[in-house]
Amino acid sequence: VLNTDEMRKRARKLPTAIFDAIDGGGGDEITLRENRQAFERIWFRPRALADVRHRDLSTVVLGERVSMPVLLAPCGMARMARSEGELAVARAAGRASTIFVVSGASSYPLEQIAEEATGPLWYQLYLPSERPAAEALLARVERSGYRVLCVTIDSAVPALRQRDYRNRLTIPPRVSGRLVLSSLRHPRWTKDFLLGKVGDGGLGPVRLAVWNLAMTIANNKVVTAEDISWLRARWSGPLVVKGVMRPDECSELIELGVDGIVVSNHGGRQLDGVPATIDVLPQVVEAVDDRIEVFVDGGFWRGADVVKAIALGARACLVGKAYMFGLAAFAEEGVDRVLDIFRTEIDKTMGLLGCPTIADIDGRAIVRGSTAVTPSPMP
Ligand SMILES: Cc1cc2nc3c(=O)[nH]c(=O)nc-3n(C[C@H](O)[C@H](O)[C@H](O)COP(=O)(O)O)c2cc1C
């Protein structure tokens, strides 16, 4: 498997409803497509005479050194792709010396994922609407050693996922004739899904994931400024807000005490019709003005995409679908391979661009727009 596109093709062996649940987006999937297409409007300006014999991809994310500016985004229900689910992702992230952001709708208990992990973890919170429930959840997160809390704010109501409707993918799952037929057509997936690996508790994790997801939806995870203040007072570690798309809101978030922002449209899976995150990123970076760290996700598919985001001021990128397809196609080794692909591609891009370190990648390394006109450098 040479690239993430090929990994996606390998993941087509999943039952259609599962593949679509990972691959699909909200509404007409305009944002889903735009997240990718926007990268094609950004061009590199390689530096002449740079000594790139040695290249260093490492960087520091909220005080933690990572081997490359690629983190693993929170993806709920990973066990749907492969029974090892988040346990495999946590192990692969540790091997790659980077951070795994564990989903608030994960299919294994957050304690079990933490035990399996060898690298640093963030916990992605879907804030429970009742304070005692939130309090109890945060206590578990703290006890398990998660260092960073990442609150997702773009999922106030369930999205319009047309592929899921068409595939009749419901929460909780309904056993329909269609589902049984699809399971029979994918015996390997069905066996793995039903029996799992020794020691993973069979269908237990799936029940947990479905419960998590149902709670997520039932609770309508509305997050207000008051909630962020409460979290800030309650959580002593770094606090990150995921799902910011407006530069004019950054100062308020910084005043509320957040330490990082993820520019995210949830991979085009929530509100359709919002711009590509890579197009919003420079405005957010300008508004934040180095006061806190800015991260970005949505459509990161190639190492070159990551380098473009760094040039536009991101501290690091998060990838979602790419590693989920790796997990679906080849289990843990698939996640390893996807991270390998990103590492190799970032390394080659940096070498050819004339940037031996992450710090060398700045606005001068790219131009945006058509190359037919004389390009002006980025500010
Ligand atoms: C299958 C799947 C499940 C996801 N579940 C969550 C989740 O539980 N919480 C969350 O904040 N984001 C979730 N996301 C969004 C990702 O964290 C991330 O924002 C997005 O996938 C980035 O875009 P990309 O998939 O194009 O890399 C999910 C994405 C996918 C593909």
Side-chain angles (χ1 to χ4, degrees):
V1 174
L2 279 180
N3 54 48
T4 46
D5 251 343
E6 287 181 17
M7 198 59 96
R8 176 175 176 274
K9 283 191 190 117
R10 296 297 186 108
R12 284 229 175 249
K13 67 180 178 187
L14 288 170
T16 308
I18 306 296
F19 178 85
D20 278 348
I22 299 171
D23 193 55
D28 290 315
E29 303 191 337
I30 298 169
T31 297
L32 178 79
R33 286 191 294 276
E34 181 67 3
N35 270 349
R36 289 287 314 125
Q37 284 168 3
F39 286 111
E40 297 186 14
R41 299 191 294 265
I42 302 171
W43 305 89
F44 287 123
R45 299 171 74 229
R47 191 153 66 100
L49 312 181
D51 182 355
V52 290
R53 271 170 295 188
H54 304 287
R55 294 167 307 279
D56 179 4
L57 279 62
S58 72
T59 191
V60 177
V61 167
L62 293 173
E64 197 103 49
R65 185 157 286 279
V66 288
S67 70
M68 60 175 164
V70 174
L71 320 185
L72 289 90
C75 288
M77 311 270 284
R79 198 187 182 287
M80 291 282 185
R82 207 47 106 102
S83 65
E84 298 94 315
E86 291 86 359
L87 306 181
V89 180
R91 290 189 292 255
R95 260 194 304 280
S97 296
T98 191
I99 293 163
F100 175 31
V101 188
V102 174
S103 162
S106 63
S107 33
Y108 285 89
L110 63 95
E111 291 85 357
Q112 197 179 349
I113 302 169
E115 265 166 40
E116 210 59 43
T118 54
L121 300 176
W122 293 8
Y123 184 79
Q124 177 261 314
L125 181 74
Y126 279 128
L127 181 67
S129 39
E130 306 296 331
R131 288 287 185 251
E135 185 64 52
L137 178 56
L138 289 178
R140 287 174 59 202
V141 173
E142 242 162 19
R143 254 199 320 272
S144 310
Y146 290 80
R147 211 179 62 86
V148 177
L149 189 67
C150 173
V151 193
T152 295
I153 60 163
D154 59 11
S155 305
V157 299
L160 262 172
R161 302 254 177 89
Q162 312 255 307
R163 293 201 219 180
D164 292 353
Y165 295 144
R166 208 176 299 123
N167 294 323
R168 296 189 177 77
L169 197 73
T170 55
I171 305 289
R174 226 182 1 211
V175 180
S176 60
R178 195 194 241 284
L179 186 71
V180 172
L181 210 69
S182 177
S183 310
L184 291 175
R185 249 191 262 126
H186 299 87
R188 277 217 218 184
W189 180 86
T190 305
K191 177 165 173 269
D192 178 60
F193 181 74
L194 291 176
L195 303 178
K197 295 282 168 293
V198 183
D200 77 359
L203 272 175
V206 175
R207 274 197 293 275
L208 174 82
V210 168
W211 187 81
N212 275 346
L213 207 69
M215 289 308 284
T216 301
I217 293 167
N219 265 336
N220 288 356
K221 303 290 173 186
V222 175
V223 181
T224 63
E226 195 267 320
D227 292 322
I228 300 290
S229 290
W230 182 80
L231 281 170
R232 183 62 291 175
R234 172 64 187 76
W235 180 261
S236 54
L239 181 64
V240 173
V241 171
K242 174 173 179 280
V244 176
M245 287 296 282
R246 283 176 58 165
D248 53 309
E249 293 180 324
C250 293
S251 284
E252 185 191 357
L253 286 164
I254 295 169
E255 276 152 30
L256 287 168
V258 311
D259 303 286
I261 282 176
V262 186
V263 177
S264 175
N265 51 32
H266 217 105
R269 300 162 65 83
Q270 292 297 110
L271 178 63
D272 194 27
V274 296
T277 47
I278 196 73
D279 283 339
V280 173
L281 173 67
Q283 304 159 32
V284 169
V285 166
E286 198 190 332
V288 165
D289 195 21
D290 271 336
R291 287 176 287 173
I292 56 171
E293 296 185 15
V294 178
F295 308 96
V296 61
D297 72 18
F300 285 83
W301 207 234
R302 283 277 191 188
D305 304 337
V306 176
V307 175
K308 287 173 183 176
I310 302 298
L312 288 167
R315 177 62 63 125
C317 310
L318 284 69
V319 303
K321 280 186 288 291
Y323 84 76
M324 285 294 278
F325 289 138
L327 180 67
F330 301 108
E332 195 163 330
E333 277 177 63
V335 184
D336 285 338
R337 179 70 191 127
V338 166
L339 292 171
D340 242 27
I341 290 170
F342 273 102
R343 191 185 308 283
T344 305
E345 291 183 356
I346 293 169
D347 180 58
K348 288 200 184 303
T349 305
M350 286 170 64
L352 295 170
L353 189 58
C355 297
T357 71
I358 296 295
D360 290 312
I361 308 170
D362 58 24
R364 291 169 297 180
I366 52 164
V367 282
R368 296 204 293 162
S370 162
T371 51
V373 295
T374 311
S376 55
M378 285 298 300

